[in-house]
Amino acid sequence: MNARVTVVGEALVDLLWRSGARDVHAAPGGSPANVAVGLQRLERPVTLLTTWGDDPPGALVRAHLADTGLDVRRVPADADRTIVALAYLGADGAATYDFLAAWSPRDLTVPEDTAVLHTGSLAVVIEPGASRVLDLCRAQRGAGRTVAADLNVRPAVQPDRDAYRALCLRLAGAVDVVKASDEDLAWLWPGRRPAEAARALLAEGPSLVVVTLGGEGAFAVTAGEEVRVAAPAVEVVDTIGAGDTFQAALLDAIVAHGGPPAGRETLTEVLTRCATAAAITCTRRGADPPTRADLTFV
């Protein structure tokens, strides 16, 4: 349990606007920050490398991260501004996003005891930070650490589909594990089946690609396997943080297995646990991932 996951990416403020509501609720989060919190609740040592500005949203982020007790390293950045996301919540609890974005971290140094590096979402799309994060992924992989990424596609920050696809393929070539949702893949490769799009990512060099399917579960592809699991049936409050929770459980499994899990039986066990963790989050408002005890007694 001592091996560390280092998460590199944005912490931001979500302005949650529910369908039919008059009031907007400000909630600190961000995919990488949510993943780090998810790992902490699974009792996995974790460090978050992130940035925020000296502005009102940044004060909310700072207080939130302090309350979590996470090991947070606020790295210097070119821009003194916090990312703000406007999340529109439909009647079904699903969210669509728009962003006021700035991502320009410098001096991305990971702790020495890091076993797995994770990144993704806005951190691998918004320049100049995206290129700096990509360089970090390549360097850490070259040093023998496992590197994972969650595409978490956000067209609002890069509406050019071809350019976004090229960024994702470039990232896939620098990591060992890629996670995406079926919605991510449908936007990147319109008309392609999710498994076919996953194979396109696998061809760039990772050993494992995992695809979440919402209420239908998830599947994984490797060079020799394709494994699919169902999702537990739950009453959905909203889907915020579900993908990040899944990713946290996946990263926890990667550390536990000493690298990307492989083999049908192992992958089935890992994906089932990840899907269960995500389902628990869907029963709660906002990004509120389960603890290790929650998963133990499911």
Side-chain angles (χ1 to χ4, degrees):
M1 288 294 295
N2 293 326
R4 179 174 305 276
V5 178
T6 295
V7 177
V8 179
E10 71 275 2
L12 53 74
V13 171
D14 282 311
L15 299 180
L16 307 178
W17 195 335
R18 294 181 180 272
S19 178
R22 291 180 177 271
D23 297 324
V24 177
H25 174 69
S31 175
N34 291 342
V35 169
V37 170
L39 283 160
Q40 182 191 50
R41 292 195 181 179
L42 294 176
E43 302 174 21
R44 174 66 57 191
V46 57
T47 294
L48 175 66
L49 303 184
T50 191
T51 69
W52 61 83
D54 291 319
D55 51 19
L60 191 59
V61 166
R62 182 189 299 108
H64 165 67
L65 293 178
D67 287 344
T68 67
L70 279 171
D71 177 30
V72 178
R73 303 192 182 184
R74 183 189 182 189
V75 301
D78 300 340
D80 183 28
R81 195 173 75 195
T82 306
I83 299 175
V84 175
L86 183 57
Y88 300 100
L89 300 177
D92 61 353
T96 56
Y97 293 89
D98 201 0
F99 296 94
L100 177 63
W103 173 246
S104 54
R106 304 191 303 268
D107 189 24
L108 292 170
T109 302
V110 305
E112 286 296 324
D113 62 342
T114 298
V116 177
L117 176 73
H118 165 73
T119 190
S121 195
L122 306 184
V124 296
V125 179
I126 299 171
E127 295 291 0
S131 292
R132 296 169 187 173
V133 171
L134 184 71
D135 288 342
L136 177 68
C137 290
R138 288 170 172 159
Q140 293 300 305
R141 195 183 189 195
R145 292 186 170 107
T146 299
V147 182
D150 181 0
L151 299 187
N152 203 23
V153 170
R154 296 291 182 242
V157 298
Q158 174 50 276
D160 185 324
R161 197 186 312 269
D162 292 339
Y164 211 135
R165 187 188 307 117
L167 288 173
C168 291
L169 291 170
R170 182 182 72 166
L171 178 64
V175 304
D176 301 287
V177 179
V178 175
K179 180 224 161 205
S181 70
D182 54 348
E183 293 180 348
D184 293 337
L185 300 182
W187 190 84
L188 291 169
W189 283 280
R192 282 200 186 188
R193 295 182 301 108
E196 184 182 358
R199 292 284 176 189
L201 289 166
L202 192 70
E204 295 300 312
S207 60
L208 175 65
V209 176
V210 176
V211 179
T212 57
L213 305 168
E216 299 302 313
F219 71 88
V221 294
T222 67
E225 298 276 6
E226 182 173 329
V227 177
R228 186 176 295 257
V229 302
V234 297
E235 184 174 341
V236 175
V237 174
D238 67 46
T239 63
I240 293 174
D244 300 327
T245 298
F246 188 105
Q247 183 68 14
L250 179 60
L251 293 166
D252 184 55
I254 291 169
V255 177
H257 287 86
R264 180 166 295 274
E265 183 177 348
T266 298
L267 282 170
T268 298
E269 178 183 331
V270 167
L271 292 181
T272 298
R273 183 171 183 264
C274 293
T276 300
I280 292 171
T281 298
C282 288
T283 67
R284 303 169 175 179
R285 181 175 179 176
D288 185 7
T291 64
R292 181 170 291 273
D294 290 334
L295 289 179
T296 300
F297 295 107
V298 169

